[in-house]
């Protein structure tokens, strides 16, 4: 009791190796400090009568220090195991620190509570498993992303798929004629039929001069084999009809391309209704006759 | 002021064995702890080990530099004479100049050493010794003594005959002092700064201080190579070792004979020191430094007056006595009579003078005239107001009419 005052003066004013100064507060690094703060009441060095709670392997112990043992550092702290039952532990503290200052008793109880809560949390985490936080490494992430992109490009997926499909075709996996891209079709077949191509080119040149009304260009997705309507064409003229037929085949092919595209796009089945349906049917009949 | 005046001496071979129980503590350990004296003495004594050094007196001055004076569009600092090099025309001599001499160059005759009063030095040493016996101070200084059986640690003289370092190490381990040595070893750091090139490469902590008595003791060599440990004879206790850095509370290991010798060295409160001529231990200002306990003791509390709950600093509102008769009367009870006398005097003075009678007729006439004038004025103003109103009415009616017509 006598030295406490002196010790506090020397430690506080002078140097204490356990003191940590921050802008707002002073902390105490001493392992026996109840509160963790540097103050006269909670300094384990400046109080010859002192008590703390410490936790070891899931068990809480009450460490008590008295003036009688002040000169014997080895025997200084008396260690009392506290009950696992919270209430009983609190009663134990009351018992052991009977007639001690309220500050000491209260702080010890607080510390016990805190430690027990910590232990509960530890147990919970062990049992439940907890989300482990992994840091995101920016550089690594960035690097991997770029490399993925490069790998994707290098893989030449489209070409590989094309090759595979061609092989399958050649092998005869596909029995029926399927809808496919006109360009691809031409590629495979076109080399054998150069003449047809030339004819088609001529036709295309001829047909370029004609005007296309809006109705002509309307695409009816349901119309696979039906012909389109050309308002401007003279029904009586046979030559025109021939042209019309050629044009229609051309248009049919073009429509098929569009169809394939649309099928790829998976458009809903659309029903277009035209006002002049009867005319359409007449035209059809005429063509069939021709 | 330790409360335990008895100390046990431990056997050198076995830390649990006590060879001598209950030796009284030398009085030095009860001297007041005076960090102020210690730090003062330490700062001065620390200077005494310095060796004179100086800067070359010619450094920076080996030029025939002269100032060019004014009129040359350059600063007036002396400039190096000559030509043919970059150096010519550059500034020289000044402390601010590159390659110039430093300001106030260090001279060898600087006062390197400080003398301190012998008594102060002795008081400081005594205080430092006392602090070595206080566990919290030793802990606060940073020594690892949690496994030491007793502070102050007194061991039988056997350790003075240790020759081998292994013996010394084992001894330290037995008494829990090895933790402190380990701390020294683990915190050895290469010093920051140029000093490392000047022979002070490492910063090493201080470990235990072993104090012996017999001059023939060989333990110096045994403990010499243990990092952090210092060995010193009782008769030559050094404040710089007892309170390194001016910090009280070094961890000290005493041999039995050294411990016993302290009484002769420093004396007690009963008799002066034998070896330090005429030195008497410092007496404390307070024998019981625990102020809180004194104030709350029964003896003091009995005499103390109960605390004041209400203190009236001043009246609710200050009244000016020169204007407030009651306030004046409060201050000066005779003021009342003075006032009465003054009034009476005034009355007495005015008794002789005649009263001025006012001419009633004149009054009447003047009033009549006034009334006339005021009446006329009234009529005029009324007429003017009426006129204006009429105009207004006409105008607006005209306007209305016009609007309606439209």
């Amino acid at each position: 009791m006598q030295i406490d005052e002196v010790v506090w003066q020397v430690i506080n004013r002078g140097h204490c190796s356990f003191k940590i100064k921050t802008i707002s507060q002073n902390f105490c690094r001493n392992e026996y400090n109840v509160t963790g703060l540097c103050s006269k009441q909670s300094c384990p060095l400046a109080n010859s009568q002192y008590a703390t709670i410490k936790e070891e392997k899931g068990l809480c112990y009450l460490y008590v220090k008295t003036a009688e043992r002040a000169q014997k550092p080895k025997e200084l702290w008396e260690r009392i195991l506290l009950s696992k039952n919270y209430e009983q532990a609190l009663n134990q503290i009351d018992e052991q620190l009977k007639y001690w200052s309220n500050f000491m008793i209260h702080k010890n109880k607080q510390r016990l509570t805190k430690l027990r809560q910590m232990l509960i949390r530890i147990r919970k985490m062990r049992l439940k498993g907890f989300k482990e936080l992994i840091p995101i490494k920016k550089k690594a992430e960035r690097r991997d992303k770029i490399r993925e992109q490069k790998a994707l490009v290098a893989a030449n997926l489209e070409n590989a798929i094309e090759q595979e499909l061609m092989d399958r075709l050649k092998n005869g996996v596909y029995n029926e004629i399927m809808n496919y891209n006109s360009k691809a079709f031409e590629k495979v077949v076109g080399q054998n039929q150069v003449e047809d191509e030339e004819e088609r080119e001529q036709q295309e040149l001829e047909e370029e001069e004609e005007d296309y009304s809006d109705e002509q260009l309307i695409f009816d997705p349901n119309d696979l084999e039906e012909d389109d309507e050309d308002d401007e064409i003279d029904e009586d003229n046979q030559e025109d009809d021939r042209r019309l037929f050629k044009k229609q085949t051309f248009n049919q092919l073009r429509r098929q391309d569009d169809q394939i595209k649309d099928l790829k796009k998976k458009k809903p089945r659309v029903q277009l209704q035209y006002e002049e349906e009867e005319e359409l049917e007449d035209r059809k009949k005429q063509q069939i006759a021709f | 002021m330790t409360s335990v005046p008895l100390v046990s001496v431990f056997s050198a071979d076995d830390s649990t064995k006590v060879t001598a129980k209950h030796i009284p503590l030398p009085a030095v350990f009860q001297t007041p702890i005076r960090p102020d004296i210690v730090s003062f003495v330490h700062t001065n004594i620390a200077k005494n080990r310095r060796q004179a050094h100086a800067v070359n007196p010619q450094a920076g001055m080996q030029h025939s530099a002269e100032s060019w004076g004014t009129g040359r569009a350059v600063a007036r600092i002396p400039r190096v004479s000559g030509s043919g090099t970059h150096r010519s025309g550059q500034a020289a001599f000044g402390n601010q100049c590159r390659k110039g001499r430093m300001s106030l160059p260090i001279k060898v005759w600087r006062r390197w050493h400080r003398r301190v009063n012998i008594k102060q030095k002795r008081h400081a040493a005594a205080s430092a010794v006392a602090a070595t016996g206080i566990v919290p101070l030793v802990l606060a200084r940073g020594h690892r003594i949690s496994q030491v059986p007793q502070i102050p640690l007194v061991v039988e003289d056997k350790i003075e005959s240790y020759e081998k370092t292994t013996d010394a190490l084992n001894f330290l381990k037995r008494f829990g002092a090895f933790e402190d040595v380990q701390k020294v070893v683990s915190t050895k750091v290469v010093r920051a700064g140029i000093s490392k090139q000047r022979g002070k490469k490492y910063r090493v902590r201080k470990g235990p201080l072993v104090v012996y008595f017999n001059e023939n003791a060989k333990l110096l060599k045994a403990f010499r190579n243990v990092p952090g440990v210092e060995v010193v004879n009782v008769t030559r206790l050094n404040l710089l070792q007892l309170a390194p850095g001016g910090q009280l509370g070094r961890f000290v290991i005493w041999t039995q004979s050294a411990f016993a010798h302290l009484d002769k060295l420093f004396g007690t409160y009963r008799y002066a020191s034998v070896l330090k001529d005429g030195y008497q231990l410092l007496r404390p200002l307070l024998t019981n430094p625990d102020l809180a306990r004194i104030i709350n003791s029964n003896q003091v509390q009995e005499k103390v007056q109960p605390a004041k709950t209400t203190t009236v600093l001043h009246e609710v509102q200050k009244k000016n006595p020169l204007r407030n008769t009651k306030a004046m009367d409060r201050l000066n009870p005779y003021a009342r009579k003075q006032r009465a006398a003054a009034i009476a005097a005034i009355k007495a003075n005015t008794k002789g003078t005649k009263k001025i009678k006012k001419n009633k007729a004149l009054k009447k006439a003047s009033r009549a005239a006034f009334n006339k004038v005021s009446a006329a004025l009234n009529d005029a103003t009324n007429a003017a107001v009426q006129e204006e109103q009429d105009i207004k009415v006409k105008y607006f009616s005209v306007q209305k009419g016009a609007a309606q017509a439209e």
Side-chain angles (χ1 to χ4, degrees), chain B residues 319-322 325-335:
Chain B
K319 306 278 183 188
N320 186 358
L322 297 174
T325 50
K326 280 192 181 168
M328 189 50 148
D329 291 344
R330 227 180 291 143
L331 291 169
N332 181 8
Y334 188 65

Side-chain angles (χ1 to χ4, degrees), chain A residues 128-152:
Chain A
K128 255 191 182 177
F130 53 93
K131 288 182 189 170
E132 196 181 332
L133 296 175
I134 303 171
I136 295 172
K137 297 178 185 173
K138 272 191 187 170
K139 262 192 183 174
E141 291 286 311
R142 205 193 310 142
R143 199 198 329 129
D144 291 340
K145 192 176 158 194
I146 290 169
R147 283 188 182 168
E148 271 176 34
Q149 283 174 4
K150 286 185 186 171
L152 189 67

Side-chain angles (χ1 to χ4, degrees), chain A residues 247-287:
Chain A
K247 198 208 235 170
Q248 281 170 350
T249 51
F250 167 74
N251 283 333
Q252 206 176 324
L253 284 169
R254 220 182 47 179
R255 225 186 290 136
Q256 278 185 8
D257 297 344
D258 296 333
Q259 221 173 37
I260 290 161
K261 278 187 201 166
D262 281 338
L263 278 172
K264 284 183 187 172
K265 287 182 195 172
K266 289 182 187 175
K267 275 186 190 170
R269 190 171 175 77
V270 177
Q271 272 212 338
L272 295 175
Q273 288 192 344
Y274 300 96
E275 289 175 5
E276 299 146 288
E277 271 187 28
E278 289 166 17
E279 283 187 337
L280 240 183
E281 285 176 23
D282 289 338
R283 263 185 246 148
K284 273 190 213 169
K285 285 175 186 171
Q286 283 183 354
Q287 279 154 19

Side-chain angles (χ1 to χ4, degrees), chain A residues 103-242:
Chain A
F103 175 85
M104 202 68 352
I105 301 169
H106 184 59
K107 288 297 173 187
N108 272 286
K109 286 182 179 172
Q110 276 187 334
R111 196 178 170 86
L112 175 71
T113 317
K114 264 276 150 71
L115 284 170
R116 287 187 66 91
Q117 283 173 349
M118 183 191 81
L119 289 168
I120 290 164
R121 244 180 286 134
I122 290 171
R123 264 180 245 130
K124 235 191 222 174
M125 285 170 94
R126 288 264 172 83
L127 293 171
K128 255 191 182 177
F130 53 93
K131 288 182 189 170
E132 196 181 332
L133 296 175
I134 303 171
I136 295 172
K137 297 178 185 173
K138 272 191 187 170
K139 262 192 183 174
E141 291 286 311
R142 205 193 310 142
R143 199 198 329 129
D144 291 340
K145 192 176 158 194
I146 290 169
R147 283 188 182 168
E148 271 176 34
Q149 283 174 4
K150 286 185 186 171
L152 189 67
V153 170
N156 266 333
L157 279 173
E158 284 194 10
N159 290 347
I161 291 168
E162 193 186 349
Q163 273 300 308
E164 177 64 30
L165 288 174
M166 286 301 126
D167 290 340
R168 285 189 189 176
L169 229 195
K170 283 176 189 168
N171 291 337
V173 175
Y174 307 117
N175 300 322
E176 299 161 0
I177 298 172
M178 308 284 279
N179 287 330
Y180 35 68
N181 199 340
S182 63
K183 287 180 190 171
F185 178 75
E186 279 162 36
K187 250 197 213 171
V188 175
V189 177
Q191 287 161 358
N192 300 330
Q193 299 173 357
V194 179
E195 293 170 356
D196 289 346
E197 275 197 27
E198 284 176 25
E199 276 186 21
R200 212 185 281 161
E201 278 177 45
Q202 283 177 7
Q203 286 174 9
E204 284 178 10
L205 283 171
E206 287 173 356
E207 285 148 25
E208 271 180 326
E209 295 169 34
E210 285 185 309
D211 296 15
Y212 293 93
S213 67
D214 288 330
E215 286 195 63
Q216 287 177 349
L217 296 169
I218 290 169
F219 170 58
D220 186 9
N222 303 330
D223 263 33
L224 260 179
E225 286 165 38
E226 285 173 328
D227 302 311
D228 61 352
E229 327 77 47
D230 297 324
D231 289 327
E232 291 175 16
I233 293 163
D234 220 14
E235 294 170 15
D236 297 324
N237 204 333
Q238 280 192 351
E239 283 189 357
D240 288 281
D241 279 352
R242 202 187 291 154

Side-chain angles (χ1 to χ4, degrees), chain B residues 123 251 287 343 386:
Chain B
H123 285 326
F251 172 34
T287 49
I343 292 165
Q386 191 62 44

Side-chain angles (χ1 to χ4, degrees), chain B residues 249-368:
Chain B
R250 180 96 186 255
F251 172 34
V252 180
I253 303 171
W254 308 88
T255 55
Q256 191 175 5
S257 34
F259 203 66
H261 196 71
L262 282 172
D263 258 343
K264 283 194 196 143
L265 257 182
F266 289 97
T268 67
Y269 284 109
R270 286 224 189 106
Y271 54 83
S273 162
V274 175
L275 296 169
K276 297 186 199 290
D277 188 25
Y279 175 65
Q280 179 64 265
L281 280 175
L282 192 65
R283 285 184 193 277
L285 278 172
L286 297 173
T287 49
N288 182 5
D290 199 346
L291 282 178
R293 198 134 188 248
I294 293 169
I295 291 166
N296 291 323
S297 68
N298 290 331
Q299 295 93 319
V300 170
Q301 290 295 320
E302 272 176 21
K303 304 288 180 186
V304 157
Q305 284 192 357
K308 285 185 188 173
T309 46
T310 53
T311 47
V312 181
L313 297 172
H314 52 77
E315 289 169 15
V316 178
Q317 188 183 40
K318 185 180 188 259
K319 306 278 183 188
N320 186 358
L322 297 174
R323 291 162 135 259
N324 191 314
T325 50
K326 280 192 181 168
M328 189 50 148
D329 291 344
R330 227 180 291 143
L331 291 169
N332 181 8
Y334 188 65
R336 206 175 208 182
K337 288 199 175 169
Q338 280 179 322
R339 247 180 279 128
I343 292 165
I346 291 165
K347 277 198 176 157
N349 278 346
T350 54
K351 242 187 184 174
T353 53
K354 284 186 182 172
K355 261 191 171 178
I356 301 165
K357 279 191 177 177
K358 292 197 175 168
N359 197 338
K360 281 195 177 174
L362 234 164
K363 237 186 176 178
K364 220 181 183 180
S366 69
R367 188 168 282 174

